[in-house]
Amino acid sequence: MHPTSSEVSAITIIVSTVLLLLFSSVIIYFLFLYQKKRFLHQKEVLELRETFNQTLLLSKLEIQEQTLDHISKELHANFSHLVSLININLSEILPQSTDTMKDNISETKSLAKQLLSELKALSASLNTDHIIHIGFSKALDNELKRLIKTKKFTVTSSKTGEEFRLRPEHEIILFRLCQEVLNNVIQYAQAKTITANLIYSKNLFRLEIIDDGIGFDIEESDSQRAQKESTGLPNIRKRAHLIDANVDIKSTIGHGTNVTITIPINEYTKGQKYY
């Protein structure tokens, strides 16, 4: 029995529909594969770009550390030596001087001694090996003592919890980050009081640097940094990102600034304990 024309039409419609659905499914499948490959490609490009930026920043920091080490050695070897010679010459001149000159020479000797002390402290703060040897906590203490010696700031600090070391490269980056923060306070904040709080816990390290300066508008500073060619805040955030740290900056005009640096403690960041 031959199928009727209506049956043939129905079969044709069914077959056509199935083929159309199959064809559509194939197109959708290939579109999905294309989108997936495109997404993976974009992800790879972003990861490569991020890796490149991190490598570039690490290279810059390495070059910077090498430069700072060189400056540190020059300060210690040459400038400190010159200041010591000046002090020796002043000591030889002192007995032969008049009473009026003796007071001036003694004052100059005192200033030379102070300069020598400052040069040694500055040399130590620039020397990467020295920072690694004494650790971040002690290096930050020394930096705060240098601020106290200027007699321009009231500086206080506190430590909570059992101290431990971070990885050496992390401590170097963290210390340079703190130097950047303190430098911003010195140059722009017009602060009278600086407070540094270190909190050590099992899973977290937190550092707070607080000043009572004039404060600033963070959003405005971010939006205008290209015009002002400012790299302070971006540098702080980039350095923090390298050591898996979070930087929270809170500032109110007229009420100072609070910079909080938080680092999760894990196998990647943890060093050894203090002994």
Side-chain angles (χ1 to χ4, degrees), residues 5 20 30 49 71 94 146-147 179 189 202-203 236 244:
S5 58
L20 182 61
F30 279 107
R49 187 177 298 169
I71 294 172
L94 187 60
R146 287 183 60 213
L147 292 180
Q179 284 184 313
K202 183 178 180 180
N203 300 315
I236 289 171
D244 197 26

Side-chain angles (χ1 to χ4, degrees), residues 41-255:
H41 175 70
Q42 290 176 339
K43 185 179 178 182
E44 287 175 0
V45 169
L46 289 173
E47 288 175 350
L48 286 172
R49 187 177 298 169
E50 178 68 17
T51 302
F52 172 76
N53 289 335
Q54 292 234 12
T55 304
L56 183 62
L57 180 57
L58 282 170
S59 298
K60 288 181 178 179
L61 292 176
E62 186 176 349
I63 293 169
Q64 184 186 69
E65 288 301 323
Q66 290 174 354
T67 304
L68 292 176
D69 272 347
H70 176 71
I71 294 172
S72 170
K73 290 179 175 65
E74 287 295 314
L75 285 173
H76 188 269
N78 297 323
F79 288 90
S80 295
H81 179 63
L82 288 173
V83 174
S84 297
L85 289 177
I86 290 170
N87 221 346
I88 292 171
N89 288 338
L90 289 172
S91 296
E92 292 178 353
I93 295 171
L94 187 60
Q96 307 167 17
S97 304
T98 63
D99 291 339
T100 305
M101 291 294 294
K102 282 181 179 179
D103 290 339
N104 290 333
I105 292 174
S106 295
E107 178 64 22
T108 305
K109 274 174 59 63
S110 177
L111 290 173
K113 186 177 180 181
Q114 183 180 343
L115 175 60
L116 183 60
S117 176
E118 286 295 319
L119 282 172
K120 288 181 178 179
L122 179 59
S123 174
S125 74
L126 297 177
N127 189 299
T128 302
D129 292 337
H130 177 72
I131 296 166
I132 291 174
H133 175 68
I134 65 174
F136 167 76
S137 178
K138 181 63 177 177
L140 180 60
D141 280 343
N142 291 342
E143 200 71 8
L144 295 175
K145 287 176 182 176
R146 287 183 60 213
L147 292 180
I148 292 172
K149 287 180 180 179
T150 65
K151 298 181 180 179
K152 295 180 180 179
F153 309 97
T154 299
V155 181
T156 59
S157 63
S158 69
K159 295 175 187 176
T160 305
E162 183 182 357
E163 290 186 28
F164 51 78
R165 297 289 298 267
L166 300 172
R167 291 178 59 175
E169 62 271 27
H170 285 204
E171 291 199 333
I172 290 296
I173 293 174
L174 179 61
F175 180 66
R176 298 302 180 209
L177 193 158
C178 289
Q179 284 184 313
E180 187 104 41
V181 173
L182 292 172
N183 187 54
N184 285 342
V185 174
I186 294 167
Q187 288 193 30
Y188 308 114
Q190 300 178 29
K192 294 181 180 179
T193 301
I194 299 172
T195 302
N197 299 320
L198 287 79
I199 298 98
Y200 295 86
S201 63
K202 183 178 180 180
N203 300 315
L204 204 68
F205 167 82
R206 187 165 75 249
L207 168 64
E208 297 174 342
I209 299 177
I210 306 164
D211 71 73
D212 65 347
I214 59 175
F216 66 101
D217 188 314
I218 298 173
E219 291 184 2
E220 182 180 346
S221 177
D222 281 335
S223 63
Q224 294 183 357
R225 71 170 184 264
Q227 300 173 3
K228 296 180 179 180
E229 297 183 353
S230 173
T231 59
L233 291 181
N235 276 348
I236 289 171
R237 290 175 179 136
K238 286 178 181 177
R239 288 177 189 271
H241 182 65
L242 285 174
I243 56 176
D244 197 26
N246 178 65
V247 178
D248 181 33
I249 303 174
K250 294 179 180 177
S251 185
T252 305
I253 294 176
H255 294 86

